[in-house]
Amino acid sequence: MSAPVRRKVVIVVKGYPRLSETFIAQEIRGLELAGLELVIVALRHPTDRKRHAVHGEITAPVHYLPEYLHREPIRVMRAVWSGLRRPGMRGLWSDFLADLRRDPSRNRVRRLGQALVLAAEWPEGAGWLHAHFIHTPASVAEYAARIVGLPWTVSAHAKDIWTSPDWDLQRKLRAARWTVTCTASGHRHLQQLAGPASARVNLSYHGLNLERFPPHVDDRPARDGQQADDPVRLISVGRLVPKKGYDFLLEALALLPADLSWRFVHAGGGDVTALRAQAARLGLSAHIDWRGALDQAEVLALYRRSDIFALACRVTSDGDRDGLPNVLVEAASQGLTCVSTSISGIPELFSDGENGLLVPAEDPTALAQALEKAIRHPEMRRVLGAAAQQKVRKTLDYHVSVAQLVDLFEKEWTQTA
């Protein structure tokens, strides 16, 4: 391995590319434009059929680790043999066994195997590791960093924060050179767990590439739900997973007064079977259009044709939740009235009645009342949407978050020069 170059960074991600992780792709592109040389290392191959335009702009090479160790035994055994001869493996082995006692799972073994492969196939000249998500990718990054003797850092987001055990988070927060996270609620939680390392936990909102989401300046039609031939257009964008609360959203739509004319469009990946069945039971099928996964340009076109954005985020039984969903930021950038729930980082962008409508999670009645209010009052929608668009454009430009990351890297490189 040649001498490491600090400005050449290995970015460890769970899967790449992913439609649902636009914020990661735009950050990677932003770091490239800021002058960093990057190598993307993915733990899984892509499953999405579509890609966003930003994926085609990224120039970093992509290196895929074995998704399952038993499928590439020769590659894994070569990596194990290589790792056993490295000084860093001695200290790591006892720590890994301690991790394994607390988490006796195949996934834990897979993390070490993937780290060994990454160390054995280390990109020429790379001098730093940065992981996106503090659960599995950070474990692989930490183990690999120990093996090759280089520093590592991590971006923590939502599910990874709230579904990881405290012991795992505490150790990683104290081992990483620094951590960034994207909501104030997540930041507070991680700082509490970090203890002496709390000053190394940083808050950095993802923001949005506003060049891809230019301002929506045209007046929307003043639809009020009274014209059957011109219904109010509702949209939601998100993966069909429990934390998005689409079952509760369907219940809320079923509670809307029969005299209101509306149509709901959903865009996002996932198995729609159960939700289609629920919509049929509730008598909603004729009102709903399930579009499936779409790329960013297609989603933008839907925002511009819609009147209201709805997302019924919730906290699941295992603690999983959103942070500040990027789709809410996107919708707000287009002057849409957003109706959502008051969990996690959502109230960090929206104030109820000022630039959006927020209701308690898992409360279909309250959600139906907010939706009815938004449907019946187009002037209110205009005011709320304009305020939301203004806030996004003033405070959530992704160039700010990229600059914060570059500054964190530069400070470390200066100190260790």
Side-chain angles (χ1 to χ4, degrees), residues 9-14 21 23-28 31 36 38 128-139 141-142 152-162 164 169 172-173 175-183 186-187 190 200-206 401-402 404-406 408-409:
V9 179
V10 172
I11 304 286
V12 180
V13 296
K14 196 164 187 179
E21 295 175 1
F23 60 94
I24 293 178
Q26 74 179 13
E27 180 182 292
I28 288 172
L31 291 173
L36 276 67
L38 306 179
W128 200 280
L129 289 92
H130 183 77
H132 265 287
F133 296 107
I134 200 168
H135 53 0
T136 304
S139 292
E142 181 192 10
W152 71 284
T153 49
V154 59
S155 291
H157 300 293
K159 178 180 180 178
D160 53 325
I161 296 174
W162 301 106
S164 295
L169 292 174
K172 288 171 180 171
L173 290 166
R177 297 294 282 266
W178 46 260
T179 300
V180 295
T181 192
C182 52
T183 66
H187 183 239
L190 292 180
R200 301 204 303 271
V201 181
N202 304 272
L203 173 62
S204 179
Y205 290 97
H206 293 305
S401 60
V402 169
Q404 290 171 331
L405 281 176
V406 171
L408 287 169
F409 280 122

Side-chain angles (χ1 to χ4, degrees), residues 52-378:
H52 296 306
V54 65
H55 291 129
E57 298 169 7
I58 291 170
T59 61
V62 184
H63 185 72
Y64 292 97
L65 298 177
E67 288 191 46
Y68 299 98
L69 304 182
H70 67 274
R71 293 181 180 175
E72 299 185 62
I74 296 176
R75 185 181 180 195
V76 173
M77 290 307 299
R78 285 174 178 167
V80 170
W81 178 247
S82 173
L84 289 174
R85 294 178 291 169
R86 291 174 179 263
M89 192 63 200
R90 297 192 192 102
L92 172 60
W93 184 246
S94 61
D95 290 342
F96 168 74
L97 291 177
D99 290 346
L100 187 62
R101 283 192 292 271
R102 286 176 152 178
D103 174 27
S105 66
R106 290 182 179 179
N107 188 34
R108 178 64 59 176
V109 175
R110 186 185 307 127
R111 295 176 194 183
L112 178 62
Q114 289 175 319
L116 284 162
V117 173
L118 173 55
E121 301 173 2
W122 187 251
E124 186 75 15
W128 200 280
L129 289 92
H130 183 77
H132 265 287
F133 296 107
I134 200 168
H135 53 0
T136 304
S139 292
V140 174
E142 181 192 10
Y143 292 161
R146 296 275 299 274
I147 296 167
V148 299
L150 289 173
W152 71 284
T153 49
V154 59
S155 291
H157 300 293
K159 178 180 180 178
D160 53 325
I161 296 174
W162 301 106
T163 63
S164 295
D166 286 353
W167 65 265
D168 195 38
L169 292 174
Q170 287 170 337
R171 192 176 53 72
K172 288 171 180 171
L173 290 166
R174 295 169 189 180
R177 297 294 282 266
W178 46 260
T179 300
V180 295
T181 192
C182 52
T183 66
S185 58
H187 183 239
R188 287 191 297 270
H189 182 65
L190 292 180
Q191 280 196 314
Q192 290 170 356
L193 291 173
S198 61
R200 301 204 303 271
V201 181
N202 304 272
L203 173 62
S204 179
Y205 290 97
H206 293 305
L208 193 66
N209 185 342
L210 297 174
E211 296 172 6
R212 298 186 192 277
F213 289 85
H216 186 276
V217 295
D218 297 332
D219 290 334
R220 288 183 165 88
R223 302 183 181 97
D224 60 3
Q226 298 306 302
Q227 290 76 40
D229 60 345
D230 191 18
V232 172
R233 301 176 180 180
L234 288 74
I235 182 175
S236 189
V237 180
R239 291 178 297 128
L240 297 173
V241 294
K243 68 180 175 181
K244 301 295 183 182
Y246 283 113
D247 50 347
F248 292 101
L249 180 54
L250 289 180
E251 290 182 34
L253 292 173
L255 293 174
L256 291 174
D259 69 321
L260 285 183
S261 294
W262 54 270
R263 183 156 190 84
F264 173 68
V265 173
H266 172 268
D271 186 354
V272 73
T273 306
L275 290 171
R276 280 187 183 274
Q278 182 186 2
R281 289 195 304 271
L282 295 171
L284 299 176
S285 298
H287 294 273
I288 299 178
D289 184 7
W290 305 98
R291 295 288 182 89
L294 300 177
D295 64 33
Q296 201 170 60
E298 293 169 318
V299 170
L300 176 58
L302 284 177
Y303 290 147
R304 296 193 157 201
R305 294 198 296 268
S306 301
D307 302 303
I308 300 167
F309 185 93
L311 194 64
C313 299
R314 61 185 289 261
V315 180
T316 63
S317 59
D318 65 353
D320 190 13
R321 68 198 75 179
D322 276 307
L324 173 55
N326 208 53
V327 291
L328 280 169
V329 182
E330 293 174 358
S333 81
Q334 298 307 296
L336 276 173
T337 290
C338 293
V339 181
S340 193
T341 54
S342 52
I343 69 163
S344 300
I346 297 172
E348 297 169 35
L349 173 58
F350 298 103
S351 296
D352 183 46
E354 294 182 14
N355 64 349
L357 297 175
L358 299 183
V359 302
E362 301 187 9
D363 188 340
T365 300
L367 184 56
Q369 290 170 348
L371 289 171
E372 180 183 357
K373 184 177 180 181
I375 289 170
R376 291 192 186 276
H377 298 96

